[in-house]
Amino acid sequence: MNPARTLPSPSPSPSPPPLAAAIAAACAAVAPSWPLDRQIAVNPYWGFIDRPFVEAASTLRRLIGARFALPAAEYLAAWRRGTITAAALERAMAEHGVAATAEQAVAALQAGGDPAAGLPLPSDVLDRHAAHAGPRWRETITQQVSQYCASYFDRHQADWHRVRAGGLYAGWRDGLRVDHALEPLMHAPQIRARAAALPDGAEDAIGWALDRLGIPPQEATEFLQLCLLRINGWAAWCAYLGWEAGLAGGTDPHLRELLAIRAAWEALLHDDLDAAGGCAADWREPWVRRRVAAGPPSADWELIWQRAHEFGYQDGLARLLAGTGPARPAPGATPAAQLVFCIDVRSERLRRALEASDPTLETRGFAGFFGLPIQYRPLGTAAARPQLPGLLSPALEVSDSTGHPDADAAVAGRRRAALDGTSLWRPFLRSPSGGFSLVETLGLGYAGALLRRHFGAAAASTASLGLRADDAKALRPRLLPADRAAAARHADLVAGILRAMGLTQGFARLLVLVGHGSQSANNPQAAALECGACGGHTGEVNARVLAGLLNDPDLRTALGERGIDIPAHTLAVAALHNTTTDEVALLDLAQAPASHADALQRLARGLEAAGQRTRAERAPDLGLAGLVARPPALLRRLRARARDWAETRPEWGLAGNASLIVAPRARTRGLDLAGRAFLHDYDSDGDRDGARLELIMTAPMVVAHWINLQYYASTVDPERFGSGNKVLHNVACGRIGVFEGNTGDLRIGLSRQSVHDGERWLHEPLRLSVVIDAPRARIEAVLRRHATVRRLVEHQWLHLFRFGEDGLEWYRDGRWAVWRSPAPAP
Amino acid sequence: AVGAPDALAAPVTVLVAFLGWIIGDYAHRYLRGEPGQRRFVTAYLATLAAVGAVIASDHLALLVGAWAASSVGLHQLLTFYRERPAAVVVAHKKFLASRLAEACLVAAMVLLVREWGSLDLAVLGARAAGAPQLPWSAGAAAALIAVAALLKCAQLPLHGWLIQVMEAPTPVSALLHAGVVNLGGYVLIRLAPLISASPVAEALLVVVGTTTAAAAGLVMLTRVTVKVRLAWSTCSQMGLMVTECGLGLYDLALLHLLAHALYKAHAFLTAGEAVLAAGERDLLDSSDGATRAPTAWTQTQALGLTLLLVAGSAALWHRWLGAPALPWLSGALLSCGLATLLWWPLARRRHGGRALIALVAAAQLYLGWHWLLSTSIPVGAPAAPGPLAAWSLLVFLALYYAQLPAGGRVPAALAGRAYDWVYAGFYLDERFTRLAFRLWPVRTPPLASRPPPAGRSSRTRSPA
C-alpha cells in the first residue's frame, strides 16, 4: 500500500521522440479530474511536476497563456499593507537570480507585460482571417468535440444514449462524415468530404494530422500537448478513466482517442488557410519564433512577487512554531478522551477550540479515511462507491448490516422491492408523453414544492432511498466478509492503523473517531467540500466501521496477540463533524454502555462549546460578523445556510490552506493556525525505521499538495483550471462535470464562488509549506526512495521544512538551512 | 385600458406574482457577490411588470406594447454577462425572433383596426364571435397573431434561443421558462374568440405545435446536460399548449400554462441536484428488474388499459357528478401520458396494483382540474373533431411509440442514424444562428484578453 510507487508521473522525454512517445508524453501531461459525486482535489499541473514550478509556469504560459500568479494589483495591495515585506521580496528576487531594488520590483510589476495569448493552431488563424461575421472555429470545435464526448460518455442524464460502437475516435469520425451542421453554421461543406480521408485508428490519425500540418518530430509533443489543453476538461475526464484503469492494473484508450479527434480537427481545416487569405506559414510562425525569443518574460516578476508572498506566510509560520519545543510535556495523566480528526484544515479550528474548552481532551490528526482501504456498497444495491483517497484502489468492501445475515437478506429484499417500485415512475417522469400528463395532473402541486424549498426544507435524501425508517435504524456499516477467516485479516488491518496513528498504548476511556462532511443544498460541487481522503464523501462510514471493529471483543483479543492492548474500559465512538455548521454528532450511541454515559455527556458538552467558538471564528468570512455575539442566532443562520437552495457559498471548504505540519500535537497545541494548516500527528521516536514517515510523505502529503494546488490553480487561473461561475453551472452527464453555461469544454477545478466572496479572494494562493518533525536523514531517505515526492520538493511544487534545534530548517537544493525570519513587523 | 382581473387573468396574475416572489428571493441570495446586481433587479422587476401588464390589459395595443417590453426586459437579463459571447449570440437570436413576432402583431393590429375600428379585446371578441365567417383581413390578423405566439413560444424552427439561454444565471432561466415563454399561450386564450374563428390560425397552431411537441420531446430524451434537457422539455410542452389552443381546448391550455410554469420553475431552481438524481439512478438501476424492458406490445397493452380507465372515469364524472364532458382528444392525450405508468409493471409483472392506483388517482385529478377550469374560464366549446384533431392524435400516438428507444426493435445502424439526427436537434438551429450573425454580428474578444475576474484586494490573513 505504497501509493507513490504507483503514481504515474511524467518522465523526461528523450529527443526527438517517435510518434508513440510523443503521444504518450502529451497524454501523461494531463492531470485527471474526478466526477462530481466524488470530486476530490487534484493538482491540475500534475503532469508537469517533472520540471520546476517556474519552468512549468513558463511552458503553460507559452502554450495557452496560462496564469500562475494573481493579478499585479493583488501583490501591490499586499505590499502596501505590509503582508509582503521588503525582506521577503529581497529573498524572492535572490531566489530567482534577479538583482533589483524594491522600487524597481514594484515598477516592474506595475508595468506588467502583454497578456500571453498562447500558441496558435490553424483554426485560430482561420478565425483571424474570417471574411464574414460568424461563429469562430475555436468555439465551434470545442463545442463539437465537447457535445460529442458528453453524448459518448453519458450514462446518467439522457434517456436515449449514443451507441458506442468502435470507440471514441471512430464514432466521432463516422459522425463527421454524415454531419449536416457545419455546412449551414460554418459554410464548411468541405469538412464532410475531407472526413472521408480520416484514418481508421487513433494513432494513425495523429500521425496523419502531424504529416498534413508539417510538424517536425521534435515539436510533436508540444503540439499534441496544446491540442489536449484546448479540450482540457474532457482530457482530464479521459485521464481520470486512465487513472482508474491504472489502479486496476489496466489501461484506457480514451485520452489518446480524444487527442486524435482534436489533432484531426486542425488537419481538416489546414487546407482552408490559403483560401482564407492567410497562409499555412501564418500559424507556424509563432511556433518558430518562440524558440528564438529570449529575455526574461514579464511573468517572472509576477512569480517573484508570488514567491515573496509565500515567504511572508512562512516567516509568520516559523515565528509561531519557533516557540514550541518537542519536550513540552503531555497534559498530565491519561486524557479523558482521545479524538482522532481528519488532517483537513477545517479540523484545526475545531481541535484548537475543543482543547481550549476542555483541557482534559486530547486530539490527533490522521487521514480521515482512518486507513481503511474500502468501498461502500449500500445494502441491497450494486451502487458501490470508494471511501478512500484517489491515490489508492479499494481492497475491501463495506456494506450495511444488522449483524444478522438473515435479517440483512430480508432488509435487502425489501429495499430492492421498494427501489423497483420507485423506478416504475421513471417513464412517467421522464418521457415526453409522460411529461405532458405529469404537468396536467400533478403540475400545480409544484407550488407546494417551491414553497417548501423556499422555506428551507431539505431535498429528499437519497442515502436511505428504499429503506424503511426502522430498517435504516437497525443498520450499521460493517466490513465484509464478517467470517472467521477474515477476522485475522481485519485484526492485522486494525493493528496497522493504530500503529500508523501512533496509538498503541495509553488509551483513554473514550476513543473518538471524528469523520467530517459538509452540508449544502442544490450544490453540484458538494463533494468538493466533503472529505477528500474519503473519496469526496463524508467520513461517516469509515469512522463507524473502525469504531465498530475497535469495540469488537474478539478483535480486541486478536489485537492483544499483536501487541496492542486496548483496556476494557475504552469505548470507541464514531462521530461526524458537520463543517458547514461545526456541529459534531456522536454516532451509534444506542450501543454505548451506561458506564460511559457521563463521559459521553461531558464530551458532547465540550464539542458544543468548541463548535460555538469555531463558528464565531468563521463568521466574519461568511459575512456574519454581526452574529458573533449571538451564538444561537449564528447557529440557526448556519443551519439555514446549509439547507438553502440558493446558497452558492455554503462554507469556505479548504480555502486558505497553506501548510501541512507533521508533528506531535505538542508542537502546535495552543497555537492559532487560523484554519490554514493540515495537521498530521507523527512521533518520530516511535518510527525508528521511518516506515510511518514514508507513508505520510507519499500519501497524506501528496493529497494535501493536490488540495493546495487545486485551490491555487482555481484562484490564479479560474478560466482554464477553475470551473468558472457557479450561477451558470450546468451539470453534464449527471455526474461527469459541469459546463459553464450552455456548452463549451467540461470545466474542472473549483468555481469562483469557492475562493472569492464577490469582493475579495478568500483563498490566498500559496504553495504548501510542509513542516516535518523528524531527523534530517529520515526525511532524505524518503526523498531518495520516491521520485515523485522528490520532484515535488526539488521542483518547488511545495516547500519542505523540519523542526531543527534552532527553529525551522528549510530544505533547499539538497541541503538543510536554518530559516531566518526577519524581526516581526511592529 | 386595464380591466379588472377576470377568471382568466386572476389565476395567471397570481401565478406570476408567486413566481416573481420565489424566483426573486432565490436570485437575491444566489447572485450575492456578482457585479451588476442592481442592473439585475431593475431588469427583473421591469420584466415582471411588463408580464403583469400583458395579463391585465384589455386592449390589444397595450398588450402588444407590454409584451414587447417584457421581451426587452428579458434581453437585459439574458445578457447579464455581456462579456460572454455565447450569451450575446443567444440574446441576438431571441431579439430577432421577438421583433419578427412583434412585426406580425403590429400588422395584425393594423388589419383589425381597419376592419373593426377597435383594438379593445372585448370588442374584438364580440365581433369575431358574432360574425358567421371572419372577414379576410380579420382572418389574416388571426393567423399573424398565431405566428407571433408560435415565435414567442419558441416553436420550431426558431426555437434555438430558448435552448441556449443557459448563458444567463439559473434564476433567469427559471423566470423565462416559467413566466415569460408561456405568454404566447395566454394571449391565444385571451383572443380565443378570434383564433377559434380562423381555421388558418388553428391549423398553424396545431401543425407547428404538434410537430414541436413531438420533435422537441424526442430531442429532450437525448440531452446530456440538465438545463438543456429542461429547455427542450419547455419547447415540447409549449408545443402541446399551443396545440391545445389550436384545437379549442382552452381550459386545458390554461391548466398547462399554470402547471408547467410551477413545474419548470422548480426544475430549474433545483437543477443543481442533478448529481443527487444521478446517484438515485444508480440505486434504482441496481434493482434487478431493470433487465426486462417494455416492448411495443407492452406499450399497446398499457395504452389500451389506460384508455379504458380514463374513459370510464370521465363517464363517471360526467354522469354522477355532472362535470362537463371530457373531449375525446383530451382523454386520448392524457392516456398517452398515463399509460407510461404501466410500462414497467407490465414488462416486469410486478407492482401492477400500485401503478393502477397511481394511474386512476392521476386521472381523477385531471378530471377535477378540467371541471374546475372549463366551468370558470369564459371560452367557447372545443371544435368538433376534424382533420386537425385526427392529425394531433396521430402525432401523439407516433410520439408515444417513438419515445421508447428500445434496443433491438430497429436495426442498430438505423437507430444510430436516428440518434445522430435527434441529437443534432434535426439540424434546425444552425441556419438561424448563421442568420443572426449576419444580421447582427457579435464581437468575440480573443480569450486571452478577457478581463480577469475582479478582485479588489486579497484578504489579510497571517498564520497567527
Side-chain angles (χ1 to χ4, degrees):
Chain A
M1 195 176 99
N2 213 335
R5 283 203 191 106
T6 61
L7 290 182
S9 61
S11 51
S13 50
S15 61
L19 180 61
I23 295 173
C27 290
V30 183
S33 172
W34 267 253
L36 292 174
D37 56 349
R38 49 191 72 163
Q39 195 190 4
I40 59 173
V42 182
N43 169 7
Y45 317 120
W46 185 245
F48 289 85
I49 61 162
D50 62 338
R51 64 201 86 179
F53 179 79
V54 179
E55 205 183 304
S58 74
T59 303
L60 280 167
R61 184 181 156 83
R62 191 181 70 233
L63 280 174
I64 52 167
R67 294 187 49 84
F68 270 70
L70 290 170
E74 298 282 334
Y75 298 110
L76 292 172
W79 172 249
R80 269 181 244 112
R81 276 200 311 269
T83 318
I84 299 179
T85 61
L89 183 59
E90 220 164 85
R91 278 182 292 170
M93 288 194 288
E95 195 178 295
H96 280 250
V98 175
T101 63
E103 288 71 32
Q104 285 169 325
V106 171
L109 182 64
Q110 274 169 334
D114 310 324
L119 286 170
L121 290 173
S123 54
D124 300 321
V125 177
L126 276 183
D127 286 338
R128 214 180 302 146
H129 289 284
H132 306 288
R136 298 195 307 179
W137 276 110
R138 188 179 180 125
E139 281 88 24
T140 304
I141 295 173
T142 302
Q143 163 153 359
Q144 198 266 349
V145 178
S146 183
Q147 288 290 307
Y148 169 71
C149 283
S151 71
Y152 181 87
F153 288 113
D154 174 50
R155 279 295 164 271
H156 288 87
Q157 174 61 51
D159 297 280
W160 181 6
H161 296 291
R162 178 180 293 281
V163 182
R164 278 197 204 180
L168 186 67
Y169 166 76
W172 169 80
R173 183 203 54 200
D174 295 346
L176 204 58
R177 286 174 180 167
V178 294
D179 176 85
H180 298 278
L182 293 165
E183 188 176 341
L185 187 67
M186 304 302 295
H187 292 330
Q190 70 278 16
I191 298 295
R192 207 161 65 198
R194 283 185 204 150
L198 284 169
D200 287 338
E203 194 163 322
D204 293 341
I206 297 171
W208 173 83
L210 292 173
D211 272 356
R212 285 186 67 89
L213 295 169
I215 298 185
Q218 67 272 17
E219 284 179 22
T221 302
E222 199 151 70
F223 172 80
L224 296 177
Q225 259 179 13
L226 179 59
C227 285
L228 281 176
L229 282 164
R230 288 293 179 88
I231 191 80
N232 189 37
W234 284 106
W237 166 255
C238 292
Y240 160 76
L241 296 176
W243 183 279
E244 292 287 291
L247 285 180
T251 57
D252 183 272
H254 289 111
L255 185 54
R256 57 181 54 213
E257 297 202 20
L258 179 69
L259 174 58
I261 291 172
R262 192 59 187 81
W265 252 121
E266 297 301 331
L268 289 172
L269 291 174
H270 186 253
D271 288 353
D272 293 333
L273 284 175
D274 292 316
C279 67
D282 272 10
W283 81 273
R284 290 288 298 151
E285 192 248 348
W287 286 75
V288 178
R289 192 156 35 109
R290 89 196 190 286
R291 266 173 291 150
V292 188
S298 53
D300 271 7
W301 277 107
E302 289 187 348
L303 287 181
I304 289 170
W305 279 89
Q306 167 60 26
R307 184 69 185 100
H309 204 188
E310 290 169 357
F311 271 118
Y313 171 78
Q314 289 165 342
D315 280 337
L317 186 67
R319 270 198 300 277
L320 201 60
L321 294 176
T324 66
R328 181 187 289 200
T334 316
Q338 287 156 326
L339 295 97
V340 185
F341 283 84
C342 181
I343 63 171
D344 192 287
V345 296
R346 287 166 291 186
S347 302
E348 188 273 332
R349 284 200 171 109
L350 188 66
R351 290 175 62 185
R352 174 158 40 87
L354 190 60
E355 290 162 348
S357 57
D358 186 348
T360 67
L361 300 178
E362 177 188 300
T363 72
R364 290 165 173 263
F366 193 73
F369 74 120
F370 300 116
L372 292 170
I374 54 171
Q375 64 174 345
Y376 167 63
R377 190 175 50 76
L379 182 64
T381 76
R385 64 178 199 228
Q387 286 273 153
L388 78 176
L391 299 173
L392 309 172
S393 63
L396 297 166
E397 181 160 294
V398 163
S399 191
D400 309 296
S401 166
T402 57
H404 306 285
D406 296 343
D408 287 354
V411 173
R414 277 199 290 276
R415 184 178 207 178
R416 270 195 291 273
L419 290 175
D420 204 33
T422 308
S423 64
L424 76 86
W425 289 91
R426 257 189 96 73
F428 183 60
L429 295 173
R430 299 197 50 102
S431 71
S433 303
F436 296 148
S437 296
L438 169 72
V439 163
E440 292 185 353
T441 54
L442 306 176
L444 292 174
Y446 281 91
L450 284 167
L451 277 174
R452 277 198 301 280
R453 296 306 298 267
H454 174 81
F455 288 111
S461 160
T462 52
S464 54
L465 193 71
L467 276 180
R468 292 197 330 219
D470 54 332
D471 282 345
K473 213 175 284 176
L475 293 175
R476 283 186 63 171
R478 280 173 222 265
L479 207 49
L480 297 176
D483 55 26
R484 195 171 292 276
R489 287 203 305 277
H490 293 174
D492 288 339
L493 175 70
V494 175
I497 290 169
L498 289 174
R499 290 212 174 85
M501 285 179 178
L503 251 180
T504 50
Q505 53 191 347
F507 288 94
R509 270 170 67 78
L510 291 177
L511 172 58
V512 191
L513 303 160
V514 191
H516 65 95
S518 177
Q519 189 189 352
S520 59
N522 201 17
N523 180 5
Q525 296 185 323
L529 298 171
E530 304 277 16
C531 180
C534 301
H537 303 104
T538 80
E540 180 183 336
V541 168
N542 298 60
R544 291 174 77 187
V545 166
L546 186 57
L549 287 169
L550 286 170
N551 287 333
D552 179 355
D554 294 340
L555 191 118
R556 284 197 185 186
T557 314
L559 280 180
E561 290 159 9
R562 287 160 178 77
I564 302 176
D565 284 308
I566 301 181
H569 65 71
T570 295
L571 175 70
V573 181
L576 186 65
H577 172 197
N578 179 328
T579 51
T580 313
T581 64
D582 278 310
E583 293 170 287
V584 180
L586 299 172
L587 308 171
D588 299 322
L589 288 188
Q591 286 103 327
S595 55
H596 285 68
D598 288 348
L600 285 168
Q601 246 167 34
R602 179 172 170 179
L603 175 66
R605 277 197 304 275
L607 288 167
E608 214 176 288
Q612 188 171 321
R613 277 179 191 233
T614 310
R615 286 189 289 275
E617 195 176 315
R618 285 173 55 218
D621 280 348
L622 293 166
L624 302 174
L627 294 179
V628 169
R630 288 152 53 209
L634 179 57
L635 177 58
R636 272 199 306 277
R637 180 66 70 83
L638 288 178
R639 282 179 179 163
R641 197 181 180 101
R643 290 192 310 266
D644 185 354
W645 64 338
E647 180 58 64
T648 58
R649 299 176 181 89
E651 58 154 306
W652 284 113
L654 294 108
N657 74 83
S659 55
L660 162 65
I661 300 172
V662 180
R665 178 59 171 158
R667 288 281 194 187
T668 50
R669 189 160 174 153
L671 301 183
D672 181 357
L673 292 160
R676 308 189 68 179
F678 297 91
L679 298 178
H680 198 301
D681 265 72
Y682 173 67
D683 175 15
S684 65
D685 292 341
D687 183 38
R688 296 284 171 204
D689 61 354
R692 282 189 54 208
L693 185 67
E694 184 171 13
L695 199 60
I696 292 170
M697 288 179 70
T698 51
M701 188 175 91
V702 175
V703 169
H705 156 77
W706 276 16
I707 293 168
N708 177 260
L709 258 293
Q710 182 190 51
Y711 274 84
Y712 188 105
S714 298
T715 308
V716 298
D717 201 358
E719 283 295 326
R720 292 169 196 84
F721 296 105
S723 55
N725 193 338
K726 206 168 182 174
V727 307
L728 294 170
H729 276 183
N730 183 10
V731 176
C733 310
R735 61 189 283 270
I736 289 181
V738 293
F739 290 148
E740 191 193 39
N742 208 18
T743 171
D745 193 8
L746 192 71
R747 298 298 294 264
I748 60 170
L750 300 168
S751 69
R752 183 172 145 72
Q753 277 84 347
S754 305
V755 287
H756 197 280
D757 76 353
E759 294 197 347
R760 63 196 178 114
W761 296 101
L762 260 285
H763 180 68
E764 258 179 4
L766 303 170
R767 276 169 284 170
L768 193 68
S769 298
V770 181
V771 189
I772 300 177
D773 192 4
R776 291 176 183 175
R778 201 177 296 166
I779 298 173
E780 288 164 15
V782 178
L783 293 181
R784 262 198 310 280
R785 273 201 298 280
H786 296 280
T788 304
V789 179
R790 192 166 63 239
R791 282 183 183 140
L792 289 178
V793 175
E794 289 180 350
H795 294 158
Q796 291 209 308
W797 290 93
L798 51 78
H799 303 292
L800 181 62
F801 299 83
R802 66 176 284 273
F803 287 93
E805 271 81 65
D806 314 311
L808 293 192
E809 289 179 4
W810 179 33
Y811 186 78
R812 179 91 178 111
D813 300 328
R815 268 194 296 281
W816 294 96
V818 174
W819 180 266
R820 304 213 183 281
S821 304
Chain B
V2 171
D6 54 17
L8 171 60
V12 183
T13 306
V14 171
L15 171 85
V16 170
F18 177 71
L19 289 176
W21 168 53
I22 297 271
I23 300 172
D25 173 82
Y26 183 106
H28 167 64
R29 276 164 296 138
Y30 197 67
L31 293 176
R32 197 178 285 156
E34 291 299 301
Q37 284 175 81
R38 183 183 293 271
R39 188 158 53 87
F40 180 90
V41 172
T42 313
Y44 182 79
L45 293 178
T47 308
L48 276 183
V51 171
V54 170
I55 297 164
S57 56
D58 60 1
H59 190 274
L60 190 56
L62 181 63
L63 187 152
V64 170
W67 207 1
S70 76
S71 166
V72 172
L74 193 65
H75 186 85
Q76 298 304 313
L77 293 174
L78 293 180
T79 53
F80 183 63
Y81 294 113
R82 291 170 186 157
E83 70 282 8
R84 295 181 67 80
V88 178
V89 173
V90 177
H92 288 187
K93 285 163 84 171
K94 154 121 179 62
F95 191 90
L96 294 173
S98 295
R99 296 304 84 81
L100 187 57
E102 280 144 21
C104 291
L105 289 169
V106 169
M109 285 198 290
V110 170
L111 289 170
L112 288 171
V113 166
R114 284 180 48 175
E115 182 66 38
W116 287 333
S118 171
L119 289 176
D120 189 289
L121 295 182
V123 173
L124 293 181
R127 290 285 171 86
Q133 195 177 0
L134 278 191
W136 170 86
S137 56
L144 283 167
I145 291 170
V147 169
L150 291 170
L151 283 167
K152 293 240 178 187
C153 284
Q155 298 296 287
L156 300 182
L158 299 189
H159 59 293
W161 62 269
L162 182 74
I163 308 302
Q164 290 146 10
V165 293
M166 311 318 151
E167 295 290 328
T170 312
V172 176
S173 303
L175 175 70
L176 165 61
H177 285 259
V180 179
V181 75
N182 47 18
L183 280 181
Y186 178 80
V187 172
L188 290 175
I189 303 171
R190 243 307 152 234
L191 295 171
L194 179 62
I195 299 294
S196 53
S198 161
V200 179
E202 289 197 319
L204 270 170
L205 293 173
V206 170
V207 171
V208 177
T210 50
T211 310
T212 303
L218 288 178
V219 175
M220 175 189 86
L221 290 173
T222 64
R223 290 301 101 164
V224 289
T225 63
V226 59
K227 288 183 180 177
V228 176
R229 177 193 162 89
L230 291 176
W232 281 99
S233 153
T234 301
C235 192
S236 166
Q237 300 267 4
M238 291 298 107
L240 179 62
M241 184 182 72
V242 297
T243 302
E244 286 165 345
C245 290
L247 293 170
L249 305 168
Y250 288 101
D251 62 313
L252 262 187
L254 177 62
L255 170 63
H256 208 90
L257 187 159
L258 297 170
H260 172 263
L262 295 165
Y263 162 76
K264 200 48 66 74
H266 180 265
F268 263 106
L269 295 181
T270 58
E273 273 153 19
V275 186
L276 293 184
E280 191 178 314
R281 198 162 166 173
D282 275 340
L283 288 180
L284 293 181
D285 285 352
S286 63
S287 68
D288 51 1
T291 46
R292 286 223 294 273
T295 61
W297 172 233
T298 330
Q299 283 180 292
T300 309
Q301 287 175 302
L303 187 58
L305 189 52
T306 311
L307 277 169
L308 282 178
L309 289 169
V310 168
S313 300
L316 290 181
W317 278 69
H318 186 51
R319 287 272 169 74
W320 288 1
L321 299 175
L326 184 71
W328 64 270
L329 187 59
S330 306
L333 292 187
L334 176 70
S335 301
C336 281
L338 293 184
T340 58
L341 280 168
L342 297 178
W343 285 2
W344 286 16
L346 281 171
R348 300 179 192 174
R349 315 229 166 275
R350 255 211 303 263
H351 299 296
R354 194 198 292 210
L356 281 175
I357 292 170
L359 195 159
V360 170
Q364 311 315 308
L365 204 52
Y366 178 90
L367 291 164
W369 297 129
H370 171 65
W371 189 7
L372 186 70
L373 288 170
S374 62
T375 49
S376 64
I377 69 161
V379 289
L388 288 182
W391 161 266
S392 307
L393 186 66
L394 278 179
V395 172
F396 284 104
L397 269 179
L399 175 66
Y400 175 76
Y401 283 100
Q403 68 193 347
L404 185 70
R409 199 195 304 177
V410 284
L414 186 62
R417 290 301 297 275
Y419 177 89
D420 283 342
W421 275 82
V422 176
Y423 189 64
F426 302 101
Y427 299 107
L428 285 173
D429 187 48
E430 280 77 11
R431 281 184 179 77
F432 185 27
T433 304
R434 189 80 202 188
L435 184 71
F437 264 99
R438 179 163 319 155
L439 294 176
W440 189 356
V442 179
R443 296 268 152 259
T444 43
L447 195 68
S449 66
R450 260 198 225 165
R456 254 165 266 160
S457 66
S458 175
R459 66 185 329 185
T460 318
R461 279 219 298 204
S462 68

